[in-house]
């Protein structure tokens, strides 16, 4: 086995190191989510931390890592006698691969043996392995939905519970959850986000010296791991001792004065976090930090450090908000709720650079700081409903600094006038998203589970029974009994109880919802801009994107204007990327509609190879007025058999009905921009 890279030898990444250390000091901090680009040594540092965790005593032979001092009363390998053999081993580090099966995660219970032999045979899964150690999930955002559910249950209860047809097993599963994710590849569900105590953004350093040092150390390690590790022994043992000292301090009691607790509560309230979990995590992290600093009393600095790590992912936010925490707001909240009866109160080392009142547009009365030029979108933090209200209340809000540009550009632009080459282009602003009607792919799919179209899924409503392909997991008891009943005499049954054979077993067929690929094909030509519709169009697409995010769809964006079409966003699960592309999408020029459709067909062709079970839904957003490019009929033919919706953007007194004609060619449903905002109904493809 190769020696683990030393924790102390990791260059930079101070926030991440601190977050991990706080968790090592106090399991109550509740894990770390590491967000950032690939190739930033995330997994190296997590492994390094696991090696720093204190060793654990376990009951010898127990596959569930029972503590001899307090064995799990439900342990499937128990009950354990107090005198049983024990041994000491390092805390475990278990990696959960994103493609793991349910059995691999929670363990498997052999229903067949339970029914036919009456034996409760349980094979422990990764959760059992992670008990009293670290469960590491690389790319946690790519984890399958139902694994996420199982993980959430286990993390919330500290227990792994497996049940198959009334046969159940339960064992303790308490672990430090560390996940990594690249936000470009899709966000996490809020419930899962909330499960991580702390979150850290990680970026590779831009400092040449630091980067060089990273490479130097890495090369030295790769050349001779043992030698490299030996050079860091002193630092590593100092770190280990400091963690142990901090743990001892914490056990002895770190004081959390009322003033500091109130400060924590005020900060959490100020950032509008949901629930009280944030307060609890922040308090625990502040106490762990105090202990780490060798103090037995929480100071404002501890609160500051804890809040910076515990709040960013808990702010109520839209997927369109930028990550991170508003540090100015944090300083202001700390400042305002400092309390004056605490000795350490005012004397914090770094006074905020912006004292209260130094911001010109900040009214004295208003407790809410001005969120800045992007306020409309930032206000996602006030919740979805308020956005809905805003959306319905009146004219589309026009937030960004680009709005002037939009109007000027639109005014200059005559319909179909300019070619894109030197033509006038503009960037329209985006309004607050609203709730849109559900659009579904007709028929019954078999794609990854989600919340859009009907599909055969492992979860969901039972609709029938079938002979299982492999091992039965989801037993259909009545169907199993019916299958066994005719053979009882033949099998020599005399007394009570059915005689079952493996071949009698039937499993449940279920129907639920799948997620889809929603591909937006957006007309960004001059005819759309001329009518000043582009802001409304962008807002509608943003709303549809948000809807797709909530339904766990993959999304893609094709735009067409001027001389051709482009893939503004290749299919991805990251709705942030889609929103960003949309925001900066320029408008103007002619309308090459056929190119847009053809490009969409090409995207679908590639995606079908990559992800064949995921059914597409194409949403064409246009006024249907093709002023350039190839034959629309031929291009529409490329999308034959694909579920389509046309969002008709035509407005004004004289209507040509071109989008409606396009819809007929695509056998698509037509929805107007107004419909999107007001009507809630199910989409059905015309056949
Ligand atoms: Zn045990």
């Amino acid at each position: 086995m190769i020696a683990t890279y030393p924790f102390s030898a990791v260059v930079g990444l101070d926030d991440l190191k601190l977050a991990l250390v706080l968790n090592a000091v106090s399991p109550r901090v509740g894990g770390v989510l590491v967000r950032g680009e690939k190739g930033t040594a995330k997994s190296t540092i997590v492994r390094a931390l696991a090696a720093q965790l204190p060793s654990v005593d376990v009951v010898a032979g127990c596959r569930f890592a029972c503590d001899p001092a307090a064995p799990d009363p439900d342990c499937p390998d128990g009950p354990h006698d107090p005198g049983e053999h024990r041994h000491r081993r390092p805390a475990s580090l278990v990696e959960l691969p994103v493609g793991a099966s349910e059995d691999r995660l929670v363990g498997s219970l052999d229903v067949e043996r339970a029914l036919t032999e009456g034996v409760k045979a349980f094979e422990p899964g990764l959760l059992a392995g992670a008990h009293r150690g670290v469960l590491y999930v690389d790319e946690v955002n790519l984890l399958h939905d139902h694994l996420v559910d199982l993980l959430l249950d286990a993390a919330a209860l500290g227990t792994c519970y497996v049940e198959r047809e009334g046969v159940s097993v339960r064992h303790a599963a308490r672990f430090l959850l560390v996940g990594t994710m690249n936000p470009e590849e899709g966000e996490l569900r809020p419930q899962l986000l909330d499960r991580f105590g702390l979150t850290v953004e990680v970026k590779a350093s831009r400092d040449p010296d630091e980067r060089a040092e990273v490479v130097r150390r890495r090369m030295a390690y790769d050349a001779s791991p043992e030698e490299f590790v030996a050079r860091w022994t002193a630092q590593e043992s100092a770190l280990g001792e400091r963690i142990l000292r901090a743990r001892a301090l914490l056990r002895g009691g770190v004081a959390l004065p009322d003033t500091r607790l109130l400060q924590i509560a005020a900060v959490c309230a100020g950032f509008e976090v949901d629930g009280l979990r944030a307060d609890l995590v922040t308090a625990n992290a502040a106490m762990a930090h105090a202990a780490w600093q060798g103090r037995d009393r929480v100071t404002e600095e501890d609160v500051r450090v804890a809040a910076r790590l515990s709040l960013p992912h808990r702010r109520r936010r839209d997927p369109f908000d930028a990550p991170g925490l508003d540090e100015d707001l944090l300083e202001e909240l700390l400042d305002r709720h400092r309390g004056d009866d605490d000795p350490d109160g005012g004397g914090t080392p770094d006074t905020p650079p912006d004292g209260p009142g130094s911001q010109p547009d900040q009214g004295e009365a208003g407790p809410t700081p001005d969120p800045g030029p992007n306020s409309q979108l930032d206000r996602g933090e006030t919740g979805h409903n308020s956005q809905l209200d805003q959306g319905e209340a009146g004219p589309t809000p026009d937030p960004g600094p680009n709005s002037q540009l939009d109007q000027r550009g639109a005014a200059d632009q005559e319909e179909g006038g300019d070619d894109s080459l030197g033509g006038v282009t503009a960037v329209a602003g985006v309004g607050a998203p609203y709730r849109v009607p559900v659009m579904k792919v007709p028929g019954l799919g078999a794609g990854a589970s989600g919340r859009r179209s009907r599909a055969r899924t492992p979860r969901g409503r039972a609709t029938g029974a079938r002979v299982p392909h492999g091992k039965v997991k989801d037993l259909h008891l009545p169907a199993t009994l019916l299958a066994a009943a005719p053979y009882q005499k033949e099998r020599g049954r005399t007394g009570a109880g059915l005689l079952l054979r493996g071949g009698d077993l039937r499993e449940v067929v279920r129907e639920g919802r799948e997620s889809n690929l929603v591909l937006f094909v957006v007309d960004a030509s001059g005819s759309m801009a001329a009518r000043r519709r582009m802001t409304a169009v962008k807002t509608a697409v943003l709303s549809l994107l948000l809807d797709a995010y909530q339904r766990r769809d993959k999304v893609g964006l094709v735009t067409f204007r001027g001389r051709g079409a482009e893939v503004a966003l290749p299919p991805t699960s990251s709705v942030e990327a889609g929103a960003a592309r949309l925001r900066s999408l320029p408008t103007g020029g002619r309308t090459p509609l056929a190119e847009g459709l053809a490009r969409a067909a090409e995207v679908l062709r590639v995606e079908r190879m990559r992800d064949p079970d995921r059914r597409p839904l194409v949403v064409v957003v246009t006024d249907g007025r093709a002023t350039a490019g190839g034959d629309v009929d031929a291009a529409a033919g490329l999308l034959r058999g694909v579920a389509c919706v046309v969002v008709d953007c035509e407005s004004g007194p004289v209507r040509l009905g071109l989008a409606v004609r396009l819809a007929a060619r695509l056998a698509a449903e037509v929805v107007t921009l107004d419909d999107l905002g007001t009507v809630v109904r199910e989409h059905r493809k015309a056949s």
Side-chain angles (χ1 to χ4, degrees):
M1 207 176 101
I2 298 173
T4 309
Y5 194 89
F7 191 84
S8 329
V10 175
V11 181
L13 304 177
D14 294 338
D15 278 355
L16 176 54
K17 282 193 277 194
L18 181 60
L20 289 170
V21 159
L22 293 183
N23 274 285
V25 170
S26 166
R28 291 192 178 170
V29 173
V32 185
L33 175 64
V34 190
R35 298 166 57 102
E37 54 206 32
K38 281 199 176 298
T40 38
K42 289 176 292 210
S43 53
T44 302
I45 193 168
V46 172
R47 285 192 196 97
L49 175 90
Q52 280 291 348
L53 290 177
S55 299
V56 291
D57 285 327
V58 295
V59 172
C62 171
R63 296 172 298 163
F64 302 86
C66 275
D67 181 351
D72 174 10
D74 295 325
C75 176
D77 283 353
H80 303 298
D81 293 330
E84 252 179 287
H85 280 297
R86 57 178 66 191
H87 68 103
R88 179 164 289 189
R89 62 155 173 76
S92 54
L93 168 67
V94 170
E95 296 190 34
L96 169 61
V98 284
S101 66
E102 176 172 344
D103 281 358
R104 182 91 193 281
L105 179 64
V106 299
S108 61
L109 194 54
D110 196 330
V111 178
E112 212 162 308
R113 286 187 67 195
L115 281 175
T116 57
E117 298 170 34
V119 181
K120 204 195 253 191
F122 182 71
E123 197 56 46
L126 295 174
L127 288 180
H131 181 46
R132 305 174 69 202
V134 180
L135 184 68
Y136 176 57
V137 194
D138 199 13
E139 301 194 282
V140 63
N141 51 328
L142 305 184
L143 201 62
H144 200 288
D145 240 6
H146 88 269
L147 288 188
V148 169
D149 289 335
L150 295 167
L151 193 59
L152 284 174
D153 288 347
L157 302 171
T159 301
C160 174
Y161 180 72
V162 184
E163 203 227 294
R164 301 271 186 264
E165 296 307 317
V167 186
S168 65
V169 166
R170 178 194 300 276
H171 65 81
R174 284 184 301 278
F175 45 83
L176 165 55
L177 183 61
V178 181
T180 72
M181 63 177 283
N182 179 355
E184 276 279 309
E185 290 168 351
E187 268 301 340
L188 279 189
R189 267 156 63 187
Q191 302 94 305
L192 185 52
L193 268 182
D194 195 45
R195 270 296 139 207
F196 288 96
L198 310 180
T199 182
V200 179
E201 295 280 333
V202 166
K203 264 198 206 98
S205 169
R206 301 287 178 252
D207 173 20
D209 290 337
E210 199 172 309
R211 293 174 74 103
E213 186 57 25
V214 170
V215 174
R216 212 173 283 133
R217 288 187 190 176
R218 190 76 220 185
M219 286 168 77
Y221 170 78
D222 288 342
S224 171
E226 305 295 337
E227 210 174 298
F228 184 81
V229 170
R231 263 189 279 147
W232 288 88
T233 313
Q235 286 91 330
E236 287 292 274
S237 49
L239 172 69
E241 279 160 25
R242 190 171 165 192
I243 290 175
L244 288 177
R245 273 201 309 276
R247 283 192 165 200
L249 250 176
L250 206 55
R251 256 197 315 276
V254 167
L256 177 63
D258 268 355
T259 41
R260 297 286 83 84
L261 181 56
L262 285 171
Q263 207 173 18
I264 288 170
V267 167
C268 291
F271 277 101
E272 299 192 52
V273 297
D274 287 321
L276 288 171
R277 206 174 131 73
D279 304 54
L280 202 59
V281 169
T282 310
N284 279 320
M287 289 164 75
H289 187 257
W292 172 244
Q293 295 296 334
R295 281 187 263 103
D296 60 2
R297 183 183 181 85
V298 170
T299 66
E300 180 172 311
E301 179 58 14
D302 299 324
V303 174
R304 175 182 290 108
V305 169
R308 276 184 51 235
L309 297 171
S310 67
L311 296 186
H313 57 301
R314 291 207 168 79
R315 299 175 302 137
R316 241 199 271 168
R317 62 191 281 275
D318 254 341
F320 310 107
D321 290 342
L325 198 66
D326 181 342
E327 303 253 348
D328 291 341
L329 178 57
L330 175 60
E331 290 308 330
E332 194 200 315
L333 289 164
L334 287 172
D335 197 44
R336 198 158 356 116
H337 301 277
R338 181 156 292 141
D340 31 35
D341 54 339
D342 194 68
D344 62 69
T348 42
D350 35 353
T351 314
D354 284 352
S358 70
Q359 290 161 339
D361 51 1
Q362 190 177 311
E364 280 185 352
T368 319
D370 189 330
N374 290 319
S375 57
Q376 289 290 356
L377 280 174
D378 289 346
R379 207 151 296 153
E381 290 170 342
T382 58
H384 196 78
N385 289 331
S386 67
Q387 287 175 351
L388 195 62
D389 295 345
Q390 285 171 21
E392 286 175 348
T396 315
D398 200 356
N402 293 323
S403 60
Q404 286 189 343
L405 185 59
D406 166 38
Q407 285 168 14
R408 196 174 55 234
D412 289 350
Q413 192 108 18
E414 281 311 314
E415 201 175 302
D418 293 285
D419 194 276
S420 71
L421 251 191
V424 181
T425 56
V427 178
V430 186
Y434 45 81
R435 207 179 292 283
V436 294
V438 187
M439 300 173 179
K440 293 178 185 175
V441 178
L444 190 64
S449 69
R451 289 164 206 143
R452 190 173 294 276
S453 309
R454 284 179 57 215
R456 290 241 187 279
T457 56
R459 313 269 127 191
R461 198 163 49 84
T463 57
R466 68 177 166 211
V467 177
H469 296 306
K471 265 210 175 312
V472 64
K473 277 190 205 152
D474 194 0
L475 188 83
H476 196 300
L477 193 56
T480 301
L481 297 181
L482 282 173
Y487 304 105
Q488 294 305 302
K489 206 183 233 174
E490 208 173 294
R491 290 174 188 171
R493 175 187 158 198
T494 50
L498 283 178
L499 288 175
L500 285 178
R501 301 273 189 274
D504 300 330
L505 301 179
R506 297 291 181 271
E507 69 180 8
V508 184
V509 175
R510 294 186 182 276
E511 193 184 306
R513 299 279 190 85
E514 64 175 0
S515 59
N516 299 105
L517 164 63
V518 184
L519 181 62
F520 297 98
V521 184
V522 178
D523 184 346
S525 67
S527 68
M528 305 279 286
R531 296 192 171 104
R532 300 190 183 186
R533 293 293 272 173
M534 209 54 208
T535 293
V537 166
K538 281 189 173 184
T539 308
V541 176
L542 192 68
S543 307
L544 290 163
L545 268 173
L546 178 61
D547 177 66
Y549 165 78
Q550 285 161 347
R551 295 177 195 286
R552 303 193 58 74
D553 294 310
K554 247 179 170 175
V555 293
L557 178 63
V558 169
T559 62
F560 55 96
R561 56 180 282 270
R563 292 188 145 183
E566 67 167 342
V567 181
L569 179 74
T572 168
S573 302
S574 168
V575 77
E576 283 92 344
R581 302 291 189 285
L582 189 69
R583 239 183 238 133
S584 58
L585 175 68
T587 324
R590 294 175 181 277
T591 315
L593 177 56
E595 274 81 351
L597 299 177
R599 185 56 72 91
E602 176 58 18
V603 169
L604 294 187
R605 192 183 66 79
V606 173
E607 209 46 36
R608 230 185 332 265
M609 289 188 276
R610 198 174 284 158
D611 197 356
D613 289 339
R614 186 180 290 273
R615 298 186 301 155
L617 175 70
V618 172
V619 180
V620 187
V621 186
T622 181
D623 57 8
R625 173 182 284 233
T627 60
D631 178 27
V632 174
D633 279 336
L638 298 174
L639 290 170
R640 189 168 297 124
V642 176
C644 297
V645 180
V646 172
V647 178
D648 182 359
C649 300
E650 186 170 43
S651 62
V654 183
R655 305 214 178 184
L656 303 172
L658 292 171
V660 177
R661 272 163 62 184
L662 173 66
R665 288 164 174 155
L666 290 168
E669 174 91 351
V670 188
V671 179
T672 66
L673 268 185
D674 296 337
D675 286 344
L676 276 186
T678 52
V679 182
V680 176
R681 61 182 167 150
E682 290 200 355
H683 159 68
R684 258 179 223 92
K685 184 173 175 175
S687 51

